[in-house]
Amino acid sequence: MKQLNLFDAFFVYSDQPRTAQNVTIVWVYDRSTARGRPVTFEEVRDHIASRAHLIPAFRKKVVHVPGDIDYPWWVDDPNFAPEHHIHRETLPPPGDWRQLRELAARIHERCVDLSRPLWDIHVVDGVDRVDGVPSGAFALVMKCHHAAMDGATSVKINETLHSTESGRPGSPVPEYAGPERQPTRWELLSRGVGNGISQPVRSALALGKLAPIRADLLSGDRILDSGSPDTQLP
């Protein structure tokens, strides 16, 4: 278990349909480098699924403390099934860059399911008219919640899913040992109460870090360009 920090907790709390806190990466792959061997959706899916457990952000979900009296925790998902996060898409002809961008935008704008690990990967076929990429290419559109992925995590994901050794099989992947023990609600509550003792100190430190940020830039009215109370950021 690892507790979310102030900023990651903010990303979770502020995640709403009009303020989806997502980070999305698009990779495009040249199938011609496979040396005549077909690259299928099933092969890509199985490759990702076999390595997903090596990425903590891919196997953990957010668990809230009862009453939200403290920041949530990252806990292994007992129902971790990476194949449920990998989806298949196909661009209609002509399969150009505009269509791929629009698909990525539609994927990006949808909120991540906060009840399970906070990521999805879409395998996109039919990428046929993108400059610099031969016809018949495919793409991966990976969406991950900002609470689960920062710059360092994105590098780790990239290194885990890919290899820098051309034409060589990757090193053996250790098997998934299974999820860690799930905390009980009483355990989470007791930790929250314990952390609450030091909350004044932690809150003061957090406010000190946020002080340089102008309050009007954090206003829901400014971000959403709307004065309606029901659309303001929490």
Side-chain angles (χ1 to χ4, degrees), residues 40-129:
T40 65
F41 164 76
E42 289 76 15
E43 182 181 10
V44 176
R45 178 199 61 200
D46 293 346
H47 173 87
I48 296 170
S50 68
R51 290 160 172 74
H53 65 279
L54 302 176
I55 305 168
F58 275 20
R59 69 172 189 268
K60 292 182 179 293
K61 66 177 184 177
V62 173
V63 174
H64 288 264
V65 177
D68 269 334
I69 64 170
D70 196 10
Y71 299 150
W73 291 78
W74 291 115
V75 177
D76 279 354
D77 183 2
N79 301 311
F80 174 60
E83 60 273 12
H84 294 168
H85 297 259
I86 305 170
H87 316 281
R88 187 174 192 175
E89 310 277 356
T90 302
L91 294 180
D96 57 20
W97 181 229
R98 178 188 61 81
Q99 291 172 300
L100 180 58
R101 293 201 323 264
E102 291 178 351
L103 174 62
R106 289 195 298 271
I107 292 170
H108 176 76
E109 72 180 359
R110 295 193 294 265
C111 290
V112 174
D113 183 353
L114 295 177
S115 68
R116 62 178 193 160
L118 309 183
W119 65 281
D120 284 289
I121 290 180
H122 296 254
V123 183
V124 184
D125 272 315
V127 181
D128 294 325
R129 292 184 59 183

Side-chain angles (χ1 to χ4, degrees), residues 18-39:
R18 294 194 64 191
T19 56
Q21 301 296 324
N22 299 328
V23 179
T24 299
I25 297 175
V26 179
W27 291 291
V28 181
Y29 301 85
D30 176 4
R31 267 195 174 94
S32 68
T33 62
R35 301 179 181 177
R37 185 171 58 85
V39 179

